Amino acid sequence: MRFADKVVIVTGAGSGNGRSIAMKFAEEGAKVVAADLNLAGAEETVALIGKGKEALALKSDVTLKSDVEHMVAQTIETYGTLDVLVNNAGIVAFTEFLELSEEEWDKVHNVNLKAPFLCSQAAAKRMIASGTKGRIINITSVEAHRIVSSSGHCQPHYNSSKGGLNLLTKAVALELAPYGITVNSVAPGVVETPFTAGGLQNPEVREWVLGRIPAGRIASPGDIANAVLFLATPESEYITGSTVFVDGGWTIH
Ligand SMILES: NC(=O)c1ccc[n+]([C@@H]2O[C@H](COP(=O)([O-])OP(=O)(O)OC[C@H]3O[C@@H](n4cnc5c(N)ncnc54)[C@H](O)[C@@H]3O)[C@@H](O)[C@H]2O)c1
């Protein structure tokens, strides 16, 4: 039980990577707040966590400051503290640069970049006020570091939102280091989740993806969760401002 009595918020916990991260923290004894825009998804995650474990499903649109403040306040009211924030909620969209609308640009940046800013700021204020040497873990992407999309699957707004989150991780890590709070990111390659299900159903896309993964398989959400949990353990306390790539070796080349 590596996280007995630790309190963890996972955003976007109603599906895919977020669900797996929430479930693994709960298996290891943490009290988990599963926050999601989709309350039914968050409730399903809490049901999967099961009886005998402490978990709370919360409807939260993490692009809204009022929802984020409520999420953190509700966490403190329910469990008394906050040790770990996982900024996992994210959306993907494929549109070529010349076709990209202002609305789609804003939507992707609001969820993938503005929300981690809002959540991290609200969480860090609580952690500092209570003297908690907390952990903030951002889910970025290999797409924060290089353009890996296949032809016809352009996502400049996704790339820039995740690239921004990569540098936000470093900037916030620098500012919070004196408080003993670490801030890191986990950069998945391609993971089998509802996020990628549409694309990976296409045999050509699946083959293109598999051809780029030296490990020879697509990631499971559990692979991502394992790295996130490590960044919340005492053993990782000297790691801050870093990125852990969980990509089966995709970014080797
Ligand atoms: N699946 C992949 O291959 C992959 C690869 C690299 C990075 N990622 C990242 O992993 C994270 C999770 O992706 P996933 O594959 O599990 O996706 P998913 O679509 O399965 O889950 C995303 C969750 O985020 C929630 N969400 C969306 N907007 C929200 C908002 N405004 N407020 C609160 N919740 C919101 C959704 O309701 C959903 O439950 C994302 O940040 C994504 O960019 C995924």
Side-chain angles (χ1 to χ4, degrees):
M1 288 288 185
R2 288 184 293 173
F3 298 105
D5 296 328
K6 296 291 183 195
V7 177
V8 181
I9 295 177
V10 183
T11 70
S15 176
N17 293 331
R19 170 169 291 167
S20 182
I21 293 164
M23 290 176 68
K24 280 205 187 244
F25 267 117
E27 275 166 30
E28 297 261 12
K31 297 168 182 164
V32 176
V33 175
D36 205 294
L37 187 59
N38 171 13
L39 180 61
E43 286 173 340
E44 206 178 306
T45 299
V46 167
L48 287 166
I49 285 172
K51 291 198 169 60
K53 305 223 164 46
E54 297 210 57
L56 174 72
L58 214 57
K59 181 174 168 61
S60 185
D61 179 347
V62 286
T63 67
L64 302 176
K65 190 172 181 180
S66 54
D67 275 25
V68 168
E69 284 178 346
H70 177 258
M71 175 181 78
V72 172
Q74 190 69 42
T75 302
I76 304 295
E77 196 180 312
T78 309
Y79 296 129
T81 189
L82 172 59
D83 298 287
V84 181
L85 165 71
V86 184
N87 285 311
N88 165 79
I91 51 172
V92 70
F94 295 100
T95 307
E96 290 180 27
F97 169 64
L98 292 176
E99 307 300 325
L100 189 54
S101 69
E102 185 180 354
E103 290 71 27
E104 193 176 323
W105 170 274
D106 286 346
K107 191 175 173 197
V108 168
H109 281 82
N110 280 341
V111 181
N112 294 359
L113 184 54
K114 181 183 167 190
F117 151 62
L118 291 174
C119 295
S120 300
Q121 191 185 58
K125 283 182 178 176
R126 292 286 182 159
M127 289 170 180
I128 291 167
S130 60
T132 305
K133 294 185 188 311
R135 304 298 171 91
I136 297 174
I137 301 151
N138 297 320
I139 308 301
T140 56
S141 170
V142 295
E143 298 265 3
H145 300 266
R146 59 188 62 192
I147 310 302
V148 294
S149 301
S150 60
S151 158
H153 291 87
C154 301
Q155 40 185 175
H157 43 343
Y158 186 76
N159 288 120
S160 66
S161 67
K162 292 295 187 178
L165 182 55
N166 178 43
L167 276 179
L168 183 71
T169 302
K170 291 175 191 291
V172 179
L174 185 65
E175 210 171 311
L176 298 185
Y179 301 99
I181 300 169
T182 69
V183 187
N184 291 290
S185 62
V186 168
V190 178
V191 194
E192 299 264 15
T193 71
F195 191 85
T196 50
L200 292 174
Q201 267 167 15
N202 178 335
E204 279 175 26
V205 173
R206 182 171 281 272
E207 195 183 332
W208 184 89
V209 166
L210 279 170
R212 275 151 188 82
I213 304 175
R217 69 171 176 86
I218 291 169
S220 72
D223 292 316
I224 311 309
N226 288 336
V228 170
L229 264 69
F230 169 68
L231 290 171
T233 59
E235 288 75 21
S236 69
E237 72 169 3
Y238 198 60
I239 302 173
T240 196
S242 283
T243 299
V244 177
F245 287 88
V246 187
D247 65 353
W250 187 312
T251 45
I252 291 170
H253 27 238

